[in-house]
Amino acid sequence: MTSDVRFGQYPAPERVIVHLSDPHLLADGRRLYDAVDVQANLEQALRQIERMQLRPDAMVFTGDLADLGEADAYRRLRERVEPVAARLGTTIVWLMGNHDERSVMRTELLDLPAGEQPLDAVWDFGGLRVIGLDSTVPGWHHGELEDSQLEWLQTVLATPAPLGSILAMHHPPVPSSVPFFDILELRDQHRLEAVLRGSDVRAILGGHLHYSTSSTFAGIPVQVASASCYSMNLSRPSSEVNGMFGGQSFNLVHVYDDRITHSTVPLGDYTTADTFSAAFVDRMAALSPAERLEAFSRKR
């Protein structure tokens, strides 16, 4: 099989995660701000994911699933995402965002009893541990972590996972280039840093900002996925940045033995200039590494 052929020096990734964020669905399929067709944008993302012919280990949604925390919005989310996940044979990781409502999300999306307890959880994907941390504060848009959550996280991390851990949360522990987002940041980040430093956490996934960015925290790479609903127009002066009808995307997370890559996939049905035929791919796969280098790398 062509997929089994190694064309370069790196082996195939051990795990693959699709990282999506901030769909902001509304009940009855309403448009966000009467302008943004958030449901259509999510459906566009799901179509693209299926077309990629991936078999991801997980689809991780880092919060703001429903803009107003409405029951029907969560039901619409399930109706659209769960069939796709079933066809791909993948697990969905739903995480809280500041626009979500814990009790409604528990009953309508997670099939849990109603309640306001933080929605923290752990998933194991063949030795890769994904830890979902609920960074939300009921009634507020900024992020905080309770002492009990940090104690729970420390207990989880006390035993390293075979392939390490990925921490996923809505409020990313990074500075923002958009001044007003700093008001809504994760507060008291030094408390989280004390728990994470020296742990087996290999990457932190976040959302909330509506634009893609990367940084480090406690020596750990942080990757923020843009939103599927709308993105931020960073080409404006920082004090004027706000939402725009473009630039929506999701991320692909490829987990290797010694590194993790994050790739941004823009939403949209864009024209591809050219593609490699199946016959060409098979022909390249049949060549030796030296023959392949001669056929594909040498300038003509």
Side-chain angles (χ1 to χ4, degrees), residues 145-156:
L145 296 170
E146 300 175 7
D147 289 341
S148 60
Q149 291 181 274
L150 292 172
E151 293 167 2
W152 171 83
L153 179 61
Q154 192 164 36
T155 299
V156 170

Side-chain angles (χ1 to χ4, degrees), residues 26-279:
L26 287 161
D28 304 317
R30 302 195 315 277
R31 290 175 177 252
L32 187 62
Y33 310 127
D34 295 322
V36 186
D37 195 341
V38 291
Q39 184 169 293
N41 289 352
L42 174 64
E43 291 167 350
Q44 173 69 42
L46 295 173
R47 284 195 301 273
Q48 289 180 229
I49 292 167
E50 286 208 86
R51 283 204 304 262
M52 295 169 74
Q53 299 180 16
L54 290 174
R55 283 293 180 262
D57 296 275
M59 295 173 65
V60 177
F61 286 78
T62 48
D64 280 359
L65 311 174
D67 187 67
L68 300 175
E70 301 160 299
D72 183 64
Y74 291 120
R75 289 193 289 268
R76 286 173 175 270
L77 190 63
R78 294 186 76 161
E79 289 169 0
R80 281 147 187 81
V81 178
E82 288 182 347
V84 173
R87 288 192 292 270
L88 296 177
T90 190
T91 299
I92 308 170
V93 173
W94 301 117
L95 300 177
M96 272 283 296
N98 52 283
H99 279 264
D100 294 304
E101 295 294 337
R102 280 180 183 165
S103 196
V104 185
M105 182 170 160
R106 281 175 168 272
T107 58
E108 299 298 333
L109 191 62
L110 304 177
D111 297 326
L112 295 173
E116 291 298 332
Q117 306 96 313
L119 287 165
D120 304 323
V122 178
W123 294 261
D124 177 75
F125 299 103
L128 176 69
R129 180 168 56 193
V130 174
I131 304 170
L133 198 58
D134 184 349
S135 59
T136 66
V137 183
W140 299 82
H141 285 298
H142 69 271
E144 290 181 3
L145 296 170
E146 300 175 7
D147 289 341
S148 60
Q149 291 181 274
L150 292 172
E151 293 167 2
W152 171 83
L153 179 61
Q154 192 164 36
T155 299
V156 170
L157 293 175
T159 304
L163 296 180
S165 297
I166 290 178
L167 178 65
M169 57 197 303
H170 183 65
H171 297 84
V174 300
S176 172
S177 61
V178 183
F180 294 116
F181 268 122
D182 286 341
I183 302 172
L184 308 181
E185 67 187 356
L186 178 70
R187 296 168 63 85
D188 299 324
Q189 294 179 14
H190 65 280
R191 298 166 63 239
L192 176 62
E193 181 179 4
V195 175
L196 294 183
R197 193 167 289 280
S199 72
D200 76 339
V201 175
R202 303 175 59 190
I204 300 173
L205 307 182
H208 187 51
L209 300 182
H210 288 238
Y211 64 89
S212 298
T213 190
S214 59
S215 184
T216 58
F217 180 76
I220 303 165
V222 181
Q223 189 68 38
V224 180
S226 185
S228 66
C229 62
Y230 65 86
S231 65
M232 305 304 290
N233 189 352
L234 299 183
S235 65
R236 299 189 63 83
S238 60
S239 61
E240 298 178 8
V241 169
N242 216 317
M244 66 178 183
F245 299 105
Q248 298 96 329
S249 62
F250 60 90
N251 284 3
L252 297 178
V253 182
H254 290 86
V255 180
Y256 297 86
D257 178 60
D258 61 346
R259 69 198 68 201
I260 297 178
T261 65
H262 305 263
S263 306
T264 299
V265 182
L267 294 194
D269 292 317
Y270 301 107
T271 301
T272 301
D274 198 3
T275 60
F276 298 114
S277 68

